[in-house]
Amino acid sequence: MSDDTPRDTSDGAARTGAKRPTLSREAVIAGAIEVADQIGVEPLTLRKLATHLGVKPMSIYYYVANKDEIIDGMVDAVFTEIEMPSPETPWREAMTVRAHSAREALRRHPWAAGMLDSRTNPGPANLGHHDAVIACLRANGFSFALTGHAFATLDAFIYGFALQESSLPGQGDPQLTDMADEMMEHFAEHFPSLAEFTREYVLRPGYAFRNEFDVGLELVLDGLAARFAAEP
């Protein structure tokens, strides 16, 4: 392999004799996640990734074919951060732990919330995670139909909450609180129910949207438990 193969990194490093960054497929994926955590997936380009890694853009093509392959790897890496349920664990406990683990992963990587089930070429961590969830529900006596209902409903809640949580303005910001106070008079005149709810609940000390996750998850699990109990 010649010295100018894609394994080489920046021209500057070659000229100065500086230590070249160690490049691998894992390093490319990890770097892409770091960039996406800062700017999102859509603005992520191979040039921006190469700059972040300190390599030439063409070097990346030695390890991945295109951006789609990078995103496949990124999504698979996020799945490795989510705790997989065990078939030996009671389903409600297992799904609760999984839900909180998934939410924490999506808080670290907000770009991933709408992408975890979007890949047409899922990786081993992605497939292994789905297999583990199904195995746990089935081992706990869920029918095929109820397993499908549970998986879909839980993921819709977790991913939807993560998307909403990541898009909300920063809570506790004094400027936002001042803006809310200014809006209350207008709300009271034109949207009385919204004004009352905001005043008596949202603006109360201690309120935080993030706390709604536990309540919502319990509602989903209660519904699944009731459906499970009603099955023949």
Side-chain angles (χ1 to χ4, degrees):
M1 186 175 293
S2 62
D3 290 340
D4 59 351
T5 61
R7 286 187 181 275
D8 281 347
T9 55
S10 65
D11 291 331
R15 287 195 301 269
T16 62
K19 185 178 180 181
R20 295 168 178 168
T22 300
L23 201 59
S24 64
R25 187 180 187 279
E26 292 72 21
V28 169
I29 299 303
I33 290 174
E34 291 169 359
V35 175
D37 288 347
Q38 297 173 19
I39 66 174
V41 169
E42 287 302 319
L44 173 65
T45 64
L46 291 180
R47 184 167 296 277
K48 290 178 180 177
L49 175 56
T51 298
H52 178 73
L53 293 172
V55 303
K56 295 182 292 187
M58 289 303 296
S59 300
I60 294 175
Y61 286 109
Y62 188 88
Y63 302 97
V64 293
N66 49 43
K67 184 177 176 178
D68 275 343
E69 186 176 339
I70 293 175
I71 295 176
D72 286 341
M74 294 166 64
V75 169
D76 212 49
V78 172
F79 271 107
T80 67
E81 299 182 20
I82 303 174
E83 186 165 343
M84 290 196 299
S86 166
E88 289 77 29
T89 305
W91 73 268
R92 184 160 185 147
E93 176 186 342
M95 294 304 113
T96 298
V97 171
R98 173 189 177 254
H100 282 283
S101 180
R103 183 199 177 195
E104 289 304 314
L106 293 174
R107 292 180 75 176
R108 291 190 292 270
H109 313 294
W111 53 268
M115 306 190 72
L116 292 187
D117 288 332
S118 70
R119 310 315 296 164
T120 57
N121 186 33
N126 185 335
L127 295 173
H129 184 89
H130 283 73
D131 185 74
V133 173
I134 293 169
C136 178
L137 293 172
R138 293 285 294 143
N140 276 270
F142 277 52
S143 65
F144 287 116
L146 189 55
T147 295
H149 301 333
F151 212 155
T153 304
L154 282 164
D155 280 4
F157 171 72
I158 296 165
Y159 299 169
F161 193 95
L163 281 169
Q164 191 172 7
E165 186 174 29
S166 66
S167 65
L168 287 174
Q171 296 183 63
D173 186 334
Q175 185 176 358
L176 292 175
T177 302
D178 292 341
M179 290 174 60
D181 291 339
E182 293 173 5
M183 295 169 64
M184 286 303 295
E185 184 176 347
H186 176 72
F187 278 13
E189 181 179 355
H190 299 283
F191 311 106
S193 295
L194 176 59
E196 181 185 33
F197 174 78
T198 303
R199 182 179 62 251
E200 298 298 328
Y201 185 61
V202 176
L203 295 182
R204 290 287 184 178
Y207 170 81
F209 178 78
R210 63 180 178 274
N211 296 334
E212 301 292 348
F213 184 83
D214 288 334
V215 178
L217 180 60
E218 286 298 309
L219 291 172
V220 172
L221 295 174
D222 286 347
L224 291 173
R227 180 65 67 93
F228 179 69
E231 281 201 331

